[in-house]
Amino acid sequence: MNTTFQTMDPSKKYRPYPQIDLPNRSWPNNILTKPPIWLSTDLRDGNQSLIDPMDIDKKVRMFELLVQLGYKEIEVGFPSASQIEFDFVRKLIEENRIPDDVTIQGLTQARTDLINRTVESMLGAKNAIVHVYNATSPLFREVVYNKTPEETIEIAVNGIKDIKAALATLPTDVYAQTNWRLEYSPETFSMTELPFAKQICEAVMDEWGATPDNKVILNLPTTIEVATPNVFADQIEWMHTNLKNRNAAIISVHPHNDRGTGTACAELAILAGADRVEGCLFGNGERTGNVCLVNLAINLWSQGIHPGVDYSNINEVIRIAEECTQLPVGARHPWAGELVFTAFSGSHQDAIKKGLTRQKDRETAANGKTIAWEVPYLPIDPADLGRSYEAVIRVNAQSGKGGMAYLLERDYGLTLPRILQVDVARAVQVLADETGKELSSEQIYEVFCEEFLNKTSPIEYINHTISHHTGVETLRAQLKVNGEAVLIEGNGNGPLSAFVHALNQKLGSKFSVAHYSEHDIHSDQTGEDAQAACYVQVAHADYAPAYGVGIHENIVTASLLAVVSAMNRSGVAQ
Ligand code: KIV
Ligand code: ZN
């Protein structure tokens, strides 16, 4: 094993990113009130990071998905990088696949030939953003490009000149078909000295001739996350307050997720003055990915802010995204993962069960009006995302009685008395421990049947008749006891007491009914129409109190079955 972690002092190898001198920072006091302008870079940053980049069909599917979700700015690729990238953009335009209110964006390095090709790829689009970038941080300037700060600015400014020149050479009618906009990214912004980032951004804006009516999108990326999100928020607030011509710029952010704080960076950046966020569905993108657009949108939703995009069918979004990227969405992915609304632990299940019941009652009382969501452990209603409640409670060896009681009620219409839940949970636990796996609702019901409904030994109920005589009921029942046919008869003020009386006479015992409850069952699962479920607890000085359950379309039969089940479970006459 590598002992570096035990022996090395990491401060010798790594330095903390310096704090930003911003004593009057205002972002900590701000709150989110509206969504940012969204840009999806699934087809560019997302695509370029895939093991198998999307083919044209997958790109079209992804583009259609993004449009359907409501994204209005979509980076469709790096058209100068390959023929397939170029062809895809042409396909979108020539086949009229881009709605009028959607802007496509194409990325290019600040090089004349690449810029010309990028402009060419987007000819005929109604709305297009040429996105030019160059790296600005000292590490990249010195190590990767060997350029001075002045030369780095020159690269950016020349890129803008090239874009202007490419547009200027277009025939007037071709130029006029498109609303052309500019985006500039100082790549590695989050590692760049702020005064230098300001200088290069302002030089770009000056060269473009940015005005409030012709804003430049300044996209400030955490190309690599190198600090805590508060540092990024400070960097954005610093740019927001110090930029010379702020109202001629749209400040965009493009957080990556190296430290796992891409979402925090984006949210704090908005508090700090950013107008726009670039990201990918489910956080796809280089290395640990771009910030997750789904995460950000539903975070806003959970705060009562409409994100302006539609995630009402999250499962379908996952399906298409997985198909296009060939990357699975993790089971614990915020808001979207298979398990994110699921509780296995007993105490969580119990709280959710109570919360869902209360929420339903409050909704009924509000006559269908939308009311505030207040359910423990579920920060939003899974139904908002098109998720059913089915996956909310799942049972394994960590679950107590709450979960299995919830499933038996939801799927089999059985509302078990509390003490009985303990008995069922004990039996279910044995199976959960044995298998070490999650148990399905059907498996739980099987355990329940085994433990209660199929307890026909030593006593088995066959049938019964009842007759009434002046307030007294006489019950005759055919049973089998230890396999032998037996006829019993007893009197009481009701069928139940008459049956217990008859059984006691036959067995020479002194059982009494300590608890009785019943309810109707309307269950799709059992395929039966109305049936009754009876729960009986029998007490006896010589035996432990035991619960039994009977289910039958005839309520009296159900109660007798419950008594038999309880006595068999008590260990009588074995
Ligand atoms: O992460 C990054 O800096 C980028 C730029 C090209 C915007 O993807
Ligand atoms: Zn990126």
Side-chain angles (χ1 to χ4, degrees):
M1 220 222 285
N2 179 345
T3 53
T4 310
F5 249 82
Q6 289 141 30
T7 57
M8 200 187 82
D9 172 2
S11 71
K12 300 277 186 292
K13 193 166 180 179
Y14 303 106
R15 277 155 302 184
Y17 197 84
Q19 296 294 298
I20 311 298
D21 183 19
L22 195 68
N24 296 324
R25 58 177 64 77
S26 67
W27 64 261
N29 297 326
N30 294 341
I31 51 165
L32 297 172
T33 54
K34 61 178 174 53
I37 302 165
W38 303 111
L39 173 117
S40 149
T41 183
D42 288 87
L43 288 158
R44 199 278 296 170
D45 211 324
N47 186 51
Q48 75 186 40
S49 61
L50 293 176
I51 304 164
D52 295 318
M54 293 178 232
D55 59 19
I56 293 249
D57 286 350
K58 286 189 176 133
K59 282 179 187 231
V60 169
R61 261 184 99 49
M62 175 59 83
F63 181 79
E64 283 172 353
L65 172 66
L66 294 166
V67 168
Q68 189 192 319
L69 292 175
Y71 288 97
K72 302 295 178 201
E73 295 189 4
I74 302 174
E75 190 159 56
V76 285
F78 203 146
S80 64
S82 71
Q83 192 61 41
I84 176 175
E85 293 277 288
F86 185 92
D87 290 346
F88 170 62
V89 181
R90 291 311 310 153
K91 183 181 174 74
L92 291 180
I93 297 166
E94 283 161 20
E95 294 179 2
N96 281 323
R97 290 175 178 272
I98 310 168
D100 283 354
D101 62 349
V102 169
T103 299
I104 56 165
Q105 177 167 304
L107 180 73
T108 174
Q109 282 160 347
R111 271 179 38 194
T112 317
D113 53 337
L114 304 184
I115 285 172
N116 289 342
R117 183 88 171 137
T118 307
V119 169
E120 188 192 341
S121 76
M122 296 201 282
L123 293 180
K126 192 158 191 298
N127 302 293
I129 299 171
V130 182
H131 177 190
V132 64
Y133 74 100
N134 67 325
T136 54
S137 64
L139 181 68
F140 278 64
R141 286 189 323 243
E142 288 153 25
V143 177
V144 186
Y145 299 104
N146 192 21
K147 296 284 181 213
T148 64
E150 293 70 30
E151 287 166 336
T152 306
I153 293 177
E154 209 178 306
I155 293 171
V157 170
N158 284 343
I160 310 308
K161 284 184 182 156
D162 284 340
I163 296 170
K164 289 202 306 190
L167 297 179
T169 55
L170 296 177
T172 324
D173 58 328
V174 175
Y175 174 78
Q177 283 175 342
T178 306
N179 168 27
W180 294 98
R181 292 163 66 204
L182 172 70
E183 172 165 326
Y184 171 66
S185 291
E187 195 198 9
T188 65
F189 160 81
S190 56
M191 299 155 67
T192 302
E193 316 89 317
L194 284 169
F196 182 65
K198 168 177 145 72
Q199 198 185 348
I200 199 165
C201 287
E202 287 175 351
V204 163
M205 289 173 74
D206 287 347
E207 183 55 49
W208 182 253
T211 65
D213 292 331
N214 181 23
K215 293 183 205 258
V216 169
I217 301 168
L218 294 178
N219 184 47
L220 309 178
T222 58
T223 304
I224 309 107
E225 263 197 327
V226 290
T228 48
N230 59 306
V231 173
F232 186 57
D234 281 354
Q235 289 169 321
I236 298 301
E237 183 162 331
W238 190 96
M239 288 293 282
H240 171 63
T241 44
N242 287 287
L243 201 68
K244 186 176 70 182
N245 209 356
R246 172 66 181 93
N247 62 359
I250 290 170
I251 293 187
S252 176
V253 292
H254 176 111
H256 278 269
N257 199 32
D258 300 81
R259 307 178 76 257
T261 54
T263 300
C265 280
E267 290 183 337
L268 299 191
I270 299 169
L271 297 180
D275 309 299
R276 182 176 184 268
V277 175
E278 297 195 349
C280 290
L281 301 181
F282 308 114
N284 186 28
E286 291 282 14
R287 305 180 309 285
T288 52
N290 287 80
V291 69
C292 172
L293 290 175
V294 183
N295 196 167
L296 287 173
I298 302 173
N299 280 2
L300 284 173
W301 179 261
S302 75
Q303 301 302 299
I305 300 166
H306 201 295
V309 281
D310 177 0
Y311 282 104
S312 56
N313 190 350
I314 193 95
N315 291 348
E316 181 69 355
V317 183
I318 294 171
R319 196 182 60 72
I320 298 173
E322 287 184 337
E323 207 173 285
C324 292
T325 61
Q326 300 289 299
L327 289 176
V329 173
R332 305 259 178 226
H333 188 98
W335 306 120
E338 188 206 332
L339 295 180
V340 299
F341 297 115
T342 298
F344 284 104
S345 114
S347 61
H348 288 213
Q349 291 177 341
D350 198 45
I352 290 173
K353 184 170 174 282
K354 286 179 184 151
L356 286 175
T357 307
R358 175 173 169 268
Q359 184 73 17
K360 212 163 161 193
D361 291 348
R362 288 169 61 231
E363 274 164 12
T364 309
N367 274 331
K369 267 200 253 135
T370 307
I371 54 157
W373 177 256
E374 289 171 359
V375 178
Y377 296 113
L378 291 181
I380 67 165
D381 183 351
D384 294 348
L385 307 181
R387 283 267 164 91
S388 71
Y389 292 108
E390 236 140 75
V392 170
I393 288 183
R394 290 166 60 173
V395 170
N396 64 13
Q398 298 298 312
S399 316
K401 56 186 177 3
M404 64 79 212
Y406 176 80
L407 293 186
L408 287 176
E409 181 159 356
R410 188 193 67 193
D411 296 338
Y412 296 92
L414 295 169
T415 311
L416 307 187
R418 230 177 151 66
I419 318 170
L420 179 61
Q421 290 177 16
V422 178
D423 281 12
V424 182
R426 208 173 289 131
V428 168
Q429 188 72 27
V430 173
L431 181 64
D433 284 335
E434 245 168 53
T435 61
K437 296 236 166 69
E438 181 193 357
L439 300 182
S440 67
S441 189
E442 291 80 10
Q443 283 173 301
I444 293 168
Y445 185 66
E446 263 172 41
V447 172
F448 174 78
C449 291
E450 189 92 342
E451 189 65 21
F452 295 94
L453 302 184
N454 304 341
K455 278 279 187 251
T456 53
S457 172
I459 307 167
E460 186 180 357
Y461 165 89
I462 307 293
N463 61 36
H464 76 272
T465 56
I466 300 173
S467 53
H468 310 263
H469 284 292
T470 55
V472 176
E473 304 225 0
T474 303
L475 187 139
R476 282 180 200 88
Q478 281 206 338
L479 309 175
K480 276 188 184 169
V481 178
N482 290 320
E484 271 182 35
V486 170
L487 190 64
I488 59 168
E489 181 176 323
N491 298 324
N493 51 11
L496 190 63
S497 58
F499 185 59
V500 173
H501 176 226
L503 272 170
N504 279 333
Q505 269 188 336
K506 176 72 196 165
L507 302 171
S509 59
K510 287 187 178 160
F511 278 98
S512 63
V513 172
H515 171 91
Y516 173 88
S517 63
E518 67 184 40
H519 64 77
D520 287 344
I521 314 172
H522 299 274
S523 168
D524 298 339
Q525 200 92 5
T526 55
E528 309 282 351
D529 278 348
Q531 287 197 311
C534 284
Y535 309 97
V536 166
Q537 190 189 36
V538 293
H540 191 290
D542 302 333
Y543 300 96
Y547 252 109
V549 183
I551 294 180
H552 199 272
E553 61 211 16
N554 178 302
I555 180 102
V556 173
T557 308
S559 68
L560 306 190
L561 285 167
V563 170
V564 169
S565 155
M567 287 174 70
N568 285 336
R569 292 188 74 247
S570 75
V572 68
Q574 292 282 2

